[in-house]
Amino acid sequence: MQRNILITGGAGFIGNHVVRLFVNKYPEYNIYNLDKLTYAGNLANLKDVENKPNYHFIKEDICNFESILNIFKQYNIDGVIHLAAESHVDRSIKDPFTFANTNIIGTLSLLQAAKNVWTDLENKLFYHVSTDEVYGALEMNNPRGGNEPGGGPFGDKFFTEQTKYNPHSPYSAAKASSDHFVRAFHDTYGLPVVISNCSNNYGPYQFPEKLIPLFINNIRNRKSLPVYGKGENVRDWLYVEDHARAIDIIFHKGQKGETYNIGGFNEWKNIDIIKVIISTVDRLLGRKENEDIDLITYVTDRAGHDLRYAIDSTKLKTELGWQPSLQFEEGIEKTVRWYLDNQDWLDNITSGEYEKYYEIMYKDR
Ligand code: NAD
Ligand code: TYD
C-alpha cells in the first residue's frame, strides 16, 4: 500500500535509524523526515538514504502549527512517527522551557494538525515515541540474579504499561505531559494513536553528550570520565536498531489506543558499563588492558538522578512477537567500533556547539 509518512526528528539519534529502516524496507512509502536541525539533528546521519526517491527532508519546527498543518495537507500525510524532542536530561535541568515547548507544545501542534486534517480516520495513525523515564525511578531491592520480570539483577520491580507516571526531571515531565496529550486526543477526538515507552538506547550516531558516546570519545582523547555520584545508578540498555525494529512492528501491527513498553531486560550499573567501555576502547585501540581506568572521575551527582530504570517488555513480545536481536556484548562491541571508525563524525560534532555546551555544563565541576 502506498503511504505518506511523516517522521519527526529523523535527523537525530533514533530517528535516523527509523528513517533508514522505513526508506529501505518500504520503497512504496513516501517518507517525509521533518526536523528543525537543533544541535542534536545532523543530516550527515542520513547520507546513505538522502538520494533515494522515497526520501524527502523538510526543515521545520514542530511548534510552528500553521506550517505543520500545511505540510499535512500538502503531502497528504496519513501516518506520523513522532520522535522530535529535546532529549538530554542535563540540558533539561538547565533550560526547562525549551523542553516544555518542543516536547509538549510541539506534540500538541502535530496532534492538532492530524485531528484537523484527518476527517476520514481510515488507515491513519499517530505514533508517539516516548521513554521509560515517564514512570520515574525504581528501587533497588530483592535482587534475584536473573534478567526477567520478577528476577532482575537489581530489583524485583519493573516498569509495565500499568505503572503510574511519576516523572522527576524536566525532560521526563515534558515527555509525560506529551504522552497524556496523545491519550487525550485519542479519548476525546478518537484520534488513532499508539505510544511506546522505551529504555535507554545505544548505538551509532548518538550525540556525544549521552553517557556511552561521550565516554568512548573521552577515552579516545584521554579526557576525564565524569561519573555522576557513585556510579551506582542502573539503566536498561537496548541497541538502537532493535528499537527501530520495534517501532516498525508497532506502527504496522500495534492496537490503536495502546501503549507498548520496549526494553531488552538488560540492566547495568553505570560504573560497570563504564568499565566495559574502557576495556573495549583500550582493546580496539591496541592500548594496554584497562590503561585508561584512571580517567574515571567521580563528580557531583545529577540533581534528581533517577536510581534505576527497568522495562518489562513482555506485552510487546507476546502480542506482537518482538524481541531484541543483539546480545549486549555484541552490541557494545559494534558500537565502540563504529565510533572509533567514524572519528570524523565525532570530531565534526565536538568541534562546534558541543564544545561550548561542554564548558557551560562542566566548568564548575
Ligand atoms: P535526539 O536528541 O538525538 O534527536 C532529536 C531530534 O529532534 C533532533 O534531530 C532534533 O533536531 C529534532 N528536534 C528537536 N526539536 C525539534 C523541533 N522543535 N522541531 C523539529 N525537530 C526537532 O533524540 P533521540 O535520542 O533520537 O530521541 C528521539 C525520541 O526518542 C525522543 O522523543 C526521546 O524522548 C525518545 N527516546 C529516546 C531514548 C534514548 O535513549 N535516546 C529512549 C527512549 C525514548
Ligand atoms: P544519559 O546517557 O544522559 O541518559 P539518561 O539520563 O536519559 O538515562 O545518562 C545515562 C546514565 O549515565 C545516567 O544515570 C547518568 C549517567 N551519566 C554519568 O554518570 N556521567 C555523564 O557524563 C553522563 C552524560 C551520564
Side-chain angles (χ1 to χ4, degrees):
M1 188 173 78
Q2 210 247 318
R3 299 201 63 167
N4 299 315
I5 297 173
L6 185 70
I7 300 183
T8 70
F13 165 48
I14 301 170
N16 83 78
H17 292 278
V18 176
V19 167
R20 179 174 298 103
L21 178 66
F22 272 69
V23 165
N24 289 330
K25 188 170 171 186
Y26 303 107
E28 70 279 22
Y29 293 177
N30 280 310
I31 301 299
Y32 296 93
N33 170 18
L34 183 146
D35 201 298
K36 181 183 175 181
L37 299 182
T38 67
Y39 79 94
N42 184 356
L43 287 176
N45 298 354
L46 284 162
K47 274 197 179 128
D48 55 323
V49 295
E50 68 189 7
N51 293 322
K52 299 259 171 156
N54 62 337
Y55 172 76
H56 316 273
F57 175 68
I58 304 167
K59 186 173 179 332
E60 190 50 81
D61 185 337
I62 52 169
C63 298
N64 287 340
F65 174 67
E66 289 305 326
S67 306
I68 297 294
L69 193 62
N70 286 335
I71 287 161
F72 267 77
K73 290 179 186 156
Q74 185 179 350
Y75 300 111
N76 205 11
I77 297 300
D78 52 35
V80 175
I81 304 176
H82 174 37
L83 296 115
E86 289 291 338
S87 69
H88 189 42
V89 173
D90 292 331
R91 287 183 188 250
S92 81
I93 294 168
K94 300 260 168 190
D95 175 19
F97 276 108
T98 302
F99 281 69
N101 257 329
T102 293
N103 298 1
I104 306 173
I105 303 299
T107 301
L108 180 55
S109 138
L110 288 160
L111 287 165
Q112 183 75 0
K115 170 188 160 279
N116 286 6
V117 176
W118 292 350
T119 42
D120 170 8
L121 296 178
E122 188 84 1
N123 293 323
K124 305 289 193 300
L125 184 65
F126 190 106
Y127 182 165
H128 179 60
V129 176
S130 193
T131 166
D132 61 355
E133 304 193 23
V134 298
Y135 297 123
L138 294 163
E139 292 175 348
M140 303 246 234
N141 63 352
N142 301 325
R144 299 281 167 81
N147 245 342
E148 292 292 323
F154 301 107
D156 57 1
K157 300 270 188 315
F158 284 72
F159 296 136
T160 72
E161 289 81 0
Q162 279 73 47
T163 304
K164 267 177 78 174
Y165 277 29
N166 186 20
H168 299 299
S169 73
Y171 162 63
S172 53
K175 288 296 292 187
S177 174
S178 67
D179 294 12
H180 289 316
F181 268 106
V182 174
R183 288 202 187 89
F185 268 65
H186 173 264
D187 297 349
T188 307
Y189 308 111
L191 197 75
V193 306
V194 70
I195 300 178
S196 60
N197 296 82
C198 188
S199 61
N200 286 59
N201 285 212
Y202 71 98
Y205 299 111
Q206 187 168 30
F207 195 85
E209 65 185 349
K210 305 274 168 68
L211 180 75
I212 291 184
L214 174 71
F215 278 33
I216 295 172
N217 197 34
N218 282 12
I219 298 164
R220 170 169 77 97
N221 295 315
R222 297 226 153 91
K223 284 161 84 174
S224 73
L225 307 175
V227 180
Y228 298 164
K230 294 189 177 134
E232 296 281 308
N233 302 64
V234 170
R235 295 292 182 266
D236 181 358
W237 293 95
L238 182 70
Y239 192 68
V240 63
E241 288 180 3
D242 277 331
H243 187 187
R245 272 194 317 107
I247 289 174
D248 176 20
I249 291 169
I250 294 167
F251 182 80
H252 289 98
K253 298 206 271 176
Q255 289 291 319
K256 304 216 165 103
E258 288 291 313
T259 289
Y260 297 89
N261 278 355
I262 311 173
F265 292 111
N266 181 40
E267 290 177 68
W268 285 78
K269 261 190 194 169
N270 288 344
I271 193 64
D272 292 334
I273 217 169
I274 288 162
K275 286 179 183 161
V276 171
I277 295 169
I278 294 173
S279 69
T280 310
V281 174
D282 282 347
R283 177 167 48 78
L284 292 178
L285 286 179
R287 296 180 184 170
K288 273 204 327 248
E289 202 184 333
N290 289 325
E291 187 174 331
D292 291 308
I293 201 86
D294 293 341
L295 293 175
I296 290 179
T297 311
Y298 291 93
V299 299
T300 313
D301 207 355
R302 173 187 278 172
H305 197 172
D306 285 335
L307 186 59
R308 170 175 172 247
Y309 302 143
I311 274 276
D312 181 346
S313 53
T314 307
K315 175 178 174 183
L316 181 57
K317 185 179 174 186
T318 51
E319 291 186 12
L320 303 185
W322 174 90
Q323 54 185 358
S325 68
L326 271 193
Q327 290 295 316
F328 185 69
E329 290 67 23
E330 204 185 326
I332 200 74
E333 174 93 13
K334 253 178 109 160
T335 301
V336 171
R337 212 178 269 284
W338 187 87
Y339 285 99
L340 296 179
D341 287 348
N342 288 277
Q343 298 194 358
D344 289 354
W345 184 89
L346 269 174
D347 289 341
N348 266 341
I349 286 183
T350 50
S351 61
E353 188 69 23
Y354 181 69
E355 279 297 54
K356 279 184 253 150
Y357 162 73
Y358 191 88
E359 270 182 39
I360 296 164
M361 299 295 294
Y362 295 107
K363 71 177 192 299
D364 300 331
R365 291 220 163 103

